Amino acid sequence: MSHRMFLRSLYRLQNLSRSSSNINPKHAVFAAFQPLLHNRPYANTPQPAASASSVNQTELAKFAAIADSWWDVEGPFKPLHIMNPTRLAFLRSTLCRHFGKDPFSARPFEGLKVVDVGCGGGILSEPLARMGASVIGIDAEEKNIKIARLHADLDPVASSIEYRCTTAENLVEEQMKFDAVIASEVIEHVADPAEFCKSLSALTMSNGATVISTINRSMRAYATAIVAAEYILHWLPKGTHQWSSFLTPEELVLILQRASISVEEMAGFAYDPLTGQWSLSDDIGVNFIAFGVKISQ
């Protein structure tokens, strides 16, 4: 597929969205991208009912199947590797401002206790540790934790990370508290986002920080994060994301507010196809990240 053909389909999608505010997003995307999709089937994975744990076993199985590829920068996690510097830029800016740290320091997170919830293979945990944070990385998939530990042992600084195969709920039961709780590209894969956020809040110290990055449930997100990324460009395995599991920024703010987290700042991630790089943006229509503060009670 040529870049021109892809842009033409995006233009067609924009016209469809303007023509009717009631248009079904899936129908619009199919109509816009039909010339390119050639009737490719879409994944329709059933979602299990919510339980006391936020773990969604179906989603867990997806990532277990590709766990060995976490540190393959050309593999299925390539988009996260490319996005990592932008995520870290947002974290450096917000956490340093909130905790009174020097953002220009080589180790700006020195003295901060951080938990990386849904850490996967550790691609965010490791740079957080190098920036001075005391990091615990948790993931419900044992294969992810094994990969994370093996890779961290290659670096004396990263080897200080404590990796645990567990859930946020289990850490709450242990009454653990952190200066900063980070859940990056995780909430769209959990069974119950509201309960998950309650656990994140319980792990956050009073006046501590909670940071969540995810994908907006928008027509553009369906077109780019699912149709383009999974079915056209093959950046991700087909079925990685379910559009119905995405949250809008407004929904996330409300869920966090109900969990005693006040969202203070939000930014979007913009992808430049010409450079292949991500940057922070005011556009939260697709990928976005939210910084919140635990309300004192």
Side-chain angles (χ1 to χ4, degrees):
M1 181 198 69
S2 70
H3 181 64
R4 180 177 298 177
M5 291 173 66
F6 180 61
L7 291 178
R8 189 176 299 162
S9 292
L10 284 179
Y11 178 74
R12 189 181 300 115
L13 176 64
Q14 290 174 347
N15 286 338
L16 283 169
S17 65
R18 292 191 189 102
S19 64
S20 174
S21 59
N22 297 319
I23 190 169
N24 184 300
K26 290 188 178 181
H27 294 168
V29 173
F30 266 109
F33 284 87
Q34 188 64 32
L36 305 181
L37 294 175
H38 304 294
N39 296 318
R40 295 177 181 175
Y42 281 79
N44 187 22
T45 307
Q47 296 298 314
S51 65
S53 170
S54 63
V55 174
N56 183 323
Q57 294 298 333
T58 302
E59 295 295 299
L60 207 62
K62 292 179 186 178
F63 289 93
I66 54 176
D68 292 341
S69 304
W70 269 107
W71 288 95
D72 179 2
V73 295
E74 295 298 326
F77 296 106
K78 179 179 179 179
L80 292 183
H81 283 279
I82 299 175
M83 186 184 288
N84 229 22
T86 309
R87 294 193 293 186
L88 290 165
F90 181 86
L91 288 168
R92 180 190 290 266
S93 173
T94 54
L95 294 181
C96 285
R97 184 165 58 251
H98 182 68
F99 291 106
K101 302 287 187 177
D102 180 6
F104 300 104
S105 167
R107 293 171 62 83
F109 298 158
E110 195 82 56
L112 296 182
K113 187 178 180 181
V114 177
V115 61
D116 182 9
V117 179
C119 64
I123 64 175
L124 185 61
S125 295
E126 288 197 15
L128 289 173
R130 295 189 189 99
M131 294 169 77
S134 173
V135 180
I136 292 181
I138 68 170
D139 200 284
E141 174 52 51
E142 181 66 35
K143 289 177 67 176
N144 289 342
I145 293 299
K146 288 180 178 179
I147 293 295
R149 286 173 178 158
L150 285 171
H151 194 272
D153 284 342
L154 301 175
D155 182 341
V157 177
S159 63
S160 66
I161 301 170
E162 180 185 347
Y163 284 115
R164 297 175 58 179
C165 182
T166 189
T167 64
E169 291 82 4
N170 288 339
L171 294 190
V172 172
E173 291 180 1
E174 296 176 33
Q175 298 184 337
M176 299 192 71
K177 295 285 185 180
F178 299 87
D179 297 299
V181 176
I182 300 171
S184 187
E185 319 306 321
V186 176
I187 196 169
E188 64 268 27
H189 301 290
V190 304
D192 189 332
E195 291 301 314
F196 180 66
C197 286
K198 288 179 182 178
S199 295
L200 299 185
S201 176
L203 292 174
T204 309
M205 293 180 179
S206 180
N207 201 43
T210 303
V211 183
I212 296 177
S213 63
T214 187
I215 303 173
N216 192 348
R217 194 178 67 255
S218 65
M219 188 182 298
R220 285 172 54 209
Y222 193 92
T224 56
I226 295 181
V227 176
E230 297 181 18
Y231 289 86
I232 297 176
L233 301 176
H234 304 293
W235 286 349
L236 299 167
K238 296 175 183 177
T240 297
H241 293 115
Q242 297 295 317
W243 185 82
S244 60
S245 297
F246 295 161
L247 296 172
T248 67
E250 294 81 6
E251 289 170 341
L252 181 60
V253 169
L254 183 59
I255 288 173
L256 287 172
Q257 185 177 17
R258 289 172 174 170
S260 300
I261 300 291
S262 174
V263 174
E264 304 292 330
E265 187 170 342
M266 190 176 289
F269 293 146
Y271 180 74
D272 185 344
L274 297 179
T275 63
Q277 300 297 315
W278 294 86
S279 61
L280 291 174
S281 166
D282 291 333
D283 182 2
I284 57 176
V286 182
N287 298 81
F288 68 98
I289 187 167
F291 168 84
V293 176
K294 174 69 172 290
I295 302 171
S296 300
Q297 294 178 326

mmCIF file of all heavy atoms in Angstrom, residues 26-49:
data_model
loop_
_atom_site.group_PDB
_atom_site.id
_atom_site.type_symbol
_atom_site.label_atom_id
_atom_site.label_comp_id
_atom_site.label_asym_id
_atom_site.label_seq_id
_atom_site.Cartn_x
_atom_site.Cartn_y
_atom_site.Cartn_z
ATOM 1 N N LYS A 26 -17.177 2.186 13.215
ATOM 2 C CA LYS A 26 -16.689 1.019 12.498
ATOM 3 C C LYS A 26 -17.158 1.036 11.048
ATOM 4 O O LYS A 26 -16.407 0.724 10.129
ATOM 5 C CB LYS A 26 -17.166 -0.258 13.191
ATOM 6 C CG LYS A 26 -16.515 -0.506 14.535
ATOM 7 C CD LYS A 26 -16.876 -1.875 15.077
ATOM 8 C CE LYS A 26 -16.184 -2.135 16.404
ATOM 9 N NZ LYS A 26 -16.488 -3.472 16.941
ATOM 10 N N HIS A 27 -18.428 1.416 10.839
ATOM 11 C CA HIS A 27 -18.945 1.484 9.476
ATOM 12 C C HIS A 27 -18.188 2.527 8.666
ATOM 13 O O HIS A 27 -17.876 2.308 7.487
ATOM 14 C CB HIS A 27 -20.433 1.824 9.506
ATOM 15 C CG HIS A 27 -21.271 0.742 10.120
ATOM 16 N ND1 HIS A 27 -22.585 0.935 10.473
ATOM 17 C CD2 HIS A 27 -20.969 -0.533 10.459
ATOM 18 C CE1 HIS A 27 -23.062 -0.191 10.996
ATOM 19 N NE2 HIS A 27 -22.098 -1.082 11.008
ATOM 20 N N ALA A 28 -17.890 3.660 9.294
ATOM 21 C CA ALA A 28 -17.174 4.730 8.599
ATOM 22 C C ALA A 28 -15.781 4.287 8.187
ATOM 23 O O ALA A 28 -15.328 4.544 7.074
ATOM 24 C CB ALA A 28 -17.092 5.968 9.490
ATOM 25 N N VAL A 29 -15.092 3.625 9.102
ATOM 26 C CA VAL A 29 -13.720 3.185 8.806
ATOM 27 C C VAL A 29 -13.718 2.129 7.712
ATOM 28 O O VAL A 29 -12.888 2.149 6.806
ATOM 29 C CB VAL A 29 -13.044 2.661 10.085
ATOM 30 C CG1 VAL A 29 -11.700 2.040 9.742
ATOM 31 C CG2 VAL A 29 -12.831 3.800 11.065
ATOM 32 N N PHE A 30 -14.657 1.177 7.786
ATOM 33 C CA PHE A 30 -14.739 0.172 6.734
ATOM 34 C C PHE A 30 -14.974 0.822 5.373
ATOM 35 O O PHE A 30 -14.367 0.449 4.370
ATOM 36 C CB PHE A 30 -15.870 -0.819 7.029
ATOM 37 C CG PHE A 30 -15.410 -2.048 7.748
ATOM 38 C CD1 PHE A 30 -15.754 -2.253 9.069
ATOM 39 C CD2 PHE A 30 -14.622 -2.995 7.107
ATOM 40 C CE1 PHE A 30 -15.329 -3.385 9.737
ATOM 41 C CE2 PHE A 30 -14.199 -4.132 7.767
ATOM 42 C CZ PHE A 30 -14.546 -4.341 9.093
ATOM 43 N N ALA A 31 -15.878 1.811 5.336
ATOM 44 C CA ALA A 31 -16.183 2.480 4.078
ATOM 45 C C ALA A 31 -14.973 3.222 3.540
ATOM 46 O O ALA A 31 -14.697 3.196 2.338
ATOM 47 C CB ALA A 31 -17.349 3.451 4.277
ATOM 48 N N ALA A 32 -14.244 3.877 4.434
ATOM 49 C CA ALA A 32 -13.092 4.682 4.012
ATOM 50 C C ALA A 32 -11.926 3.823 3.551
ATOM 51 O O ALA A 32 -11.229 4.154 2.595
ATOM 52 C CB ALA A 32 -12.652 5.599 5.154
ATOM 53 N N PHE A 33 -11.716 2.694 4.232
ATOM 54 C CA PHE A 33 -10.525 1.890 3.963
ATOM 55 C C PHE A 33 -10.818 0.629 3.148
ATOM 56 O O PHE A 33 -9.928 -0.172 2.920
ATOM 57 C CB PHE A 33 -9.845 1.490 5.285
ATOM 58 C CG PHE A 33 -9.092 2.604 5.921
ATOM 59 C CD1 PHE A 33 -9.728 3.494 6.769
ATOM 60 C CD2 PHE A 33 -7.743 2.789 5.679
ATOM 61 C CE1 PHE A 33 -9.038 4.529 7.370
ATOM 62 C CE2 PHE A 33 -7.044 3.830 6.269
ATOM 63 C CZ PHE A 33 -7.689 4.699 7.116
ATOM 64 N N GLN A 34 -12.069 0.463 2.703
ATOM 65 C CA GLN A 34 -12.429 -0.757 1.992
ATOM 66 C C GLN A 34 -11.542 -1.039 0.786
ATOM 67 O O GLN A 34 -11.160 -2.189 0.546
ATOM 68 C CB GLN A 34 -13.899 -0.685 1.560
ATOM 69 C CG GLN A 34 -14.442 -1.988 0.977
ATOM 70 C CD GLN A 34 -14.458 -3.102 1.995
ATOM 71 O OE1 GLN A 34 -14.642 -2.853 3.167
ATOM 72 N NE2 GLN A 34 -14.239 -4.318 1.535
ATOM 73 N N PRO A 35 -11.157 -0.027 -0.003
ATOM 74 C CA PRO A 35 -10.304 -0.324 -1.157
ATOM 75 C C PRO A 35 -8.961 -0.923 -0.778
ATOM 76 O O PRO A 35 -8.318 -1.571 -1.596
ATOM 77 C CB PRO A 35 -10.124 1.054 -1.822
ATOM 78 C CG PRO A 35 -11.308 1.838 -1.381
ATOM 79 C CD PRO A 35 -11.576 1.383 0.027
ATOM 80 N N LEU A 36 -8.518 -0.697 0.474
ATOM 81 C CA LEU A 36 -7.212 -1.189 0.900
ATOM 82 C C LEU A 36 -7.306 -2.481 1.693
ATOM 83 O O LEU A 36 -6.362 -3.269 1.725
ATOM 84 C CB LEU A 36 -6.520 -0.125 1.770
ATOM 85 C CG LEU A 36 -6.376 1.265 1.152
ATOM 86 C CD1 LEU A 36 -5.663 2.180 2.128
ATOM 87 C CD2 LEU A 36 -5.597 1.183 -0.142
ATOM 88 N N LEU A 37 -8.437 -2.710 2.333
ATOM 89 C CA LEU A 37 -8.549 -3.840 3.252
ATOM 90 C C LEU A 37 -8.813 -5.158 2.540
ATOM 91 O O LEU A 37 -8.457 -6.218 3.048
ATOM 92 C CB LEU A 37 -9.678 -3.572 4.260
ATOM 93 C CG LEU A 37 -9.435 -2.415 5.213
ATOM 94 C CD1 LEU A 37 -10.672 -2.183 6.081
ATOM 95 C CD2 LEU A 37 -8.224 -2.674 6.071
ATOM 96 N N HIS A 38 -9.474 -5.109 1.388
ATOM 97 C CA HIS A 38 -9.789 -6.331 0.636
ATOM 98 C C HIS A 38 -10.512 -7.349 1.497
ATOM 99 O O HIS A 38 -10.195 -8.547 1.499
ATOM 100 C CB HIS A 38 -8.511 -6.954 0.054
ATOM 101 C CG HIS A 38 -7.735 -6.014 -0.795
ATOM 102 N ND1 HIS A 38 -8.192 -5.518 -1.999
ATOM 103 C CD2 HIS A 38 -6.518 -5.435 -0.587
ATOM 104 C CE1 HIS A 38 -7.284 -4.710 -2.523
ATOM 105 N NE2 HIS A 38 -6.280 -4.631 -1.682
ATOM 106 N N ASN A 39 -11.509 -6.857 2.264
ATOM 107 C CA ASN A 39 -12.354 -7.728 3.083
ATOM 108 C C ASN A 39 -11.592 -8.559 4.104
ATOM 109 O O ASN A 39 -11.932 -9.698 4.389
ATOM 110 C CB ASN A 39 -13.173 -8.670 2.186
ATOM 111 C CG ASN A 39 -14.143 -7.900 1.324
ATOM 112 O OD1 ASN A 39 -14.776 -6.965 1.795
ATOM 113 N ND2 ASN A 39 -14.238 -8.270 0.047
ATOM 114 N N ARG A 40 -10.550 -8.007 4.682
ATOM 115 C CA ARG A 40 -9.831 -8.730 5.731
ATOM 116 C C ARG A 40 -10.712 -8.833 6.972
ATOM 117 O O ARG A 40 -11.325 -7.862 7.389
ATOM 118 C CB ARG A 40 -8.539 -7.998 6.096
ATOM 119 C CG ARG A 40 -7.531 -7.963 4.948
ATOM 120 C CD ARG A 40 -6.316 -7.162 5.337
ATOM 121 N NE ARG A 40 -5.374 -7.116 4.231
ATOM 122 C CZ ARG A 40 -4.259 -6.392 4.252
ATOM 123 N NH1 ARG A 40 -3.977 -5.658 5.295
ATOM 124 N NH2 ARG A 40 -3.453 -6.399 3.224
ATOM 125 N N PRO A 41 -10.766 -10.017 7.623
ATOM 126 C CA PRO A 41 -11.621 -10.181 8.800
ATOM 127 C C PRO A 41 -11.042 -9.469 10.005
ATOM 128 O O PRO A 41 -9.826 -9.419 10.175
ATOM 129 C CB PRO A 41 -11.634 -11.700 9.016
ATOM 130 C CG PRO A 41 -10.331 -12.170 8.434
ATOM 131 C CD PRO A 41 -10.071 -11.265 7.250
ATOM 132 N N TYR A 42 -11.912 -8.902 10.816
ATOM 133 C CA TYR A 42 -11.488 -8.239 12.039
ATOM 134 C C TYR A 42 -11.629 -9.185 13.215
ATOM 135 O O TYR A 42 -12.573 -9.981 13.283
ATOM 136 C CB TYR A 42 -12.331 -6.976 12.292
ATOM 137 C CG TYR A 42 -11.871 -5.823 11.459
ATOM 138 C CD1 TYR A 42 -12.240 -5.737 10.125
ATOM 139 C CD2 TYR A 42 -11.024 -4.852 11.964
ATOM 140 C CE1 TYR A 42 -11.797 -4.704 9.336
ATOM 141 C CE2 TYR A 42 -10.587 -3.813 11.182
ATOM 142 C CZ TYR A 42 -10.976 -3.742 9.866
ATOM 143 O OH TYR A 42 -10.534 -2.718 9.078
ATOM 144 N N ALA A 43 -10.708 -9.091 14.161
ATOM 145 C CA ALA A 43 -10.760 -9.939 15.349
ATOM 146 C C ALA A 43 -11.975 -9.569 16.185
ATOM 147 O O ALA A 43 -12.321 -8.409 16.308
ATOM 148 C CB ALA A 43 -9.484 -9.753 16.180
ATOM 149 N N ASN A 44 -12.608 -10.559 16.744
ATOM 150 C CA ASN A 44 -13.773 -10.330 17.591
ATOM 151 C C ASN A 44 -13.651 -11.193 18.829
ATOM 152 O O ASN A 44 -14.383 -12.153 19.031
ATOM 153 C CB ASN A 44 -15.053 -10.669 16.832
ATOM 154 C CG ASN A 44 -16.292 -10.279 17.622
ATOM 155 O OD1 ASN A 44 -16.219 -9.426 18.493
ATOM 156 N ND2 ASN A 44 -17.414 -10.907 17.321
ATOM 157 N N THR A 45 -12.641 -10.896 19.630
ATOM 158 C CA THR A 45 -12.342 -11.696 20.803
ATOM 159 C C THR A 45 -13.313 -11.392 21.919
ATOM 160 O O THR A 45 -13.472 -10.237 22.313
ATOM 161 C CB THR A 45 -10.907 -11.390 21.304
ATOM 162 O OG1 THR A 45 -10.017 -11.545 20.219
ATOM 163 C CG2 THR A 45 -10.526 -12.338 22.432
ATOM 164 N N PRO A 46 -14.010 -12.405 22.468
ATOM 165 C CA PRO A 46 -14.951 -12.153 23.562
ATOM 166 C C PRO A 46 -14.230 -11.686 24.804
ATOM 167 O O PRO A 46 -13.116 -12.126 25.099
ATOM 168 C CB PRO A 46 -15.604 -13.527 23.784
ATOM 169 C CG PRO A 46 -14.610 -14.512 23.249
ATOM 170 C CD PRO A 46 -13.933 -13.830 22.100
ATOM 171 N N GLN A 47 -14.834 -10.746 25.523
ATOM 172 C CA GLN A 47 -14.240 -10.205 26.732
ATOM 173 C C GLN A 47 -14.812 -10.907 27.959
ATOM 174 O O GLN A 47 -16.029 -11.020 28.091
ATOM 175 C CB GLN A 47 -14.533 -8.703 26.841
ATOM 176 C CG GLN A 47 -13.917 -7.890 25.735
ATOM 177 C CD GLN A 47 -12.416 -7.961 25.723
ATOM 178 O OE1 GLN A 47 -11.773 -7.826 26.755
ATOM 179 N NE2 GLN A 47 -11.826 -8.183 24.573
ATOM 180 N N PRO A 48 -13.972 -11.412 28.864
ATOM 181 C CA PRO A 48 -14.471 -12.061 30.061
ATOM 182 C C PRO A 48 -15.114 -11.056 30.995
ATOM 183 O O PRO A 48 -14.813 -9.865 30.954
ATOM 184 C CB PRO A 48 -13.202 -12.658 30.680
ATOM 185 C CG PRO A 48 -12.091 -11.798 30.180
ATOM 186 C CD PRO A 48 -12.510 -11.382 28.792
ATOM 187 N N ALA A 49 -15.981 -11.543 31.857
ATOM 188 C CA ALA A 49 -16.643 -10.675 32.830
ATOM 189 C C ALA A 49 -15.629 -10.161 33.830
ATOM 190 O O ALA A 49 -14.628 -10.810 34.134
ATOM 191 C CB ALA A 49 -17.738 -11.455 33.547
#
